Amino acid sequence: MRTSLIAGNWKMNGSLESVTALIDGIKAGDPGRAELAVCPPAIYLMKIGGMLADSGIALGAQNVCQHASGAYTGELAASMLTEAGCRFVIVGHSERRSIYGESDELVAARFQMAIDGELMPILCVGETLEERQQEQTLAVVSRQIDAVLAVSGIASFAKAVIAYEPVWAIGTGQVATPEQAQAVHASIRDKLAGLDAAVAEGLQILYGGSMNPGNAAELLSQVDIDGGLIGGASLKAEDFLAIAQSA
Ligand code: PEP
């Protein structure tokens, strides 16, 4: 039985004051049986890591450098993220792929660096609207996962999470239907089961894209949806907790 993971991707939002209040609000609430993680902007990781000590809420970063250390201005090493208390790191978010040009190969290198650094990567995959309309969804998701398999192998997915995030659903309010999401999740699990059935069975596959308290329960009741990666709705403690409670 896989546990549900509800992870908040705060992106580049907040201030010292607001993120502190958000953590206080989340800590004061009841997440039900779901496991919670928050991924704040990197500058707040140390502060929030301290606030989360002994809370049972995990800390995650929003990206990791593909190199261990050195002359990589603006980047953060896996070792720095673990020092800050991170357990998770998002890799391959569609905003990184589309705005910052991160290729499948770069995402795969970052994924491997997370594994090497004993961080759990949350690998984001998903198709654009155009790709869905051209019935390329499964091919795109498969290609994105193949790039990671080529570098890290199937065994690495025993220590990773996948987030299926259709690009057209992120931040748009246009959520995938439970059937659309379930179909992609099932195909991801089937693909990986062809390589290692036990790894595929244990893998948490999250849905991300305009999930909110009103649509979460139906999405999370699908057999292959094991939680959510939440953007906008993770910025309000009560919405984030309400999503967790419906898991
Ligand atoms: C995301 O960016 O990972 C995301 C799912 O955003 P939103 O929930 O706002 O669509």
Side-chain angles (χ1 to χ4, degrees), residues 53-242:
D54 302 323
S55 69
I57 301 168
L59 185 67
Q62 297 177 14
N63 209 352
V64 61
C65 186
Q66 71 274 29
H67 301 287
S69 67
Y72 303 102
T73 301
E75 293 284 305
L76 291 171
S79 59
M80 297 169 184
L81 300 180
T82 46
E83 253 185 340
C86 290
R87 185 145 72 83
F88 293 101
V89 61
I90 297 170
V91 295
H93 191 279
S94 72
E95 287 150 17
R96 299 298 319 176
R97 293 178 189 264
S98 67
I99 304 172
Y100 298 99
E102 293 193 13
S103 63
D104 291 343
E105 290 67 33
L106 176 55
V107 170
R110 291 183 188 263
F111 179 102
Q112 181 58 42
M113 196 46 77
I115 296 283
D116 289 345
E118 297 186 0
L119 288 160
M120 204 169 224
I122 301 175
L123 171 67
C124 298
V125 297
E127 81 289 0
T128 62
L129 183 58
E130 197 184 3
E131 288 163 341
R132 173 160 284 267
Q133 286 165 343
Q134 292 170 353
E135 298 184 3
Q136 291 300 304
T137 298
L138 299 184
V140 168
V141 166
S142 198
R143 188 203 72 220
Q144 291 169 332
I145 293 174
D146 281 341
V148 172
L149 285 169
V151 173
S152 302
I154 182 65
S156 66
F157 283 88
K159 297 181 200 144
V161 173
I162 290 182
Y164 168 56
E165 299 207 302
V167 178
W168 48 271
I170 296 178
T172 60
Q174 197 192 337
V175 67
T177 66
E179 295 72 27
Q180 284 174 323
Q182 166 59 25
V184 179
H185 284 231
S187 92
I188 292 172
R189 203 179 304 284
D190 272 5
K191 173 186 174 69
L192 296 180
L195 299 171
D196 188 319
V199 167
E201 187 53 34
L203 177 70
Q204 287 171 311
I205 307 178
L206 315 184
Y207 168 79
S210 297
M211 194 186 269
N212 62 40
N215 59 34
E218 223 192 326
L219 285 159
L220 295 169
S221 68
Q222 303 299 307
V223 65
D224 288 297
I225 301 185
D226 309 310
L229 181 56
I230 322 295
S234 70
L235 297 171
K236 272 197 192 154
E238 69 180 277
D239 287 357
F240 188 55
L241 289 163

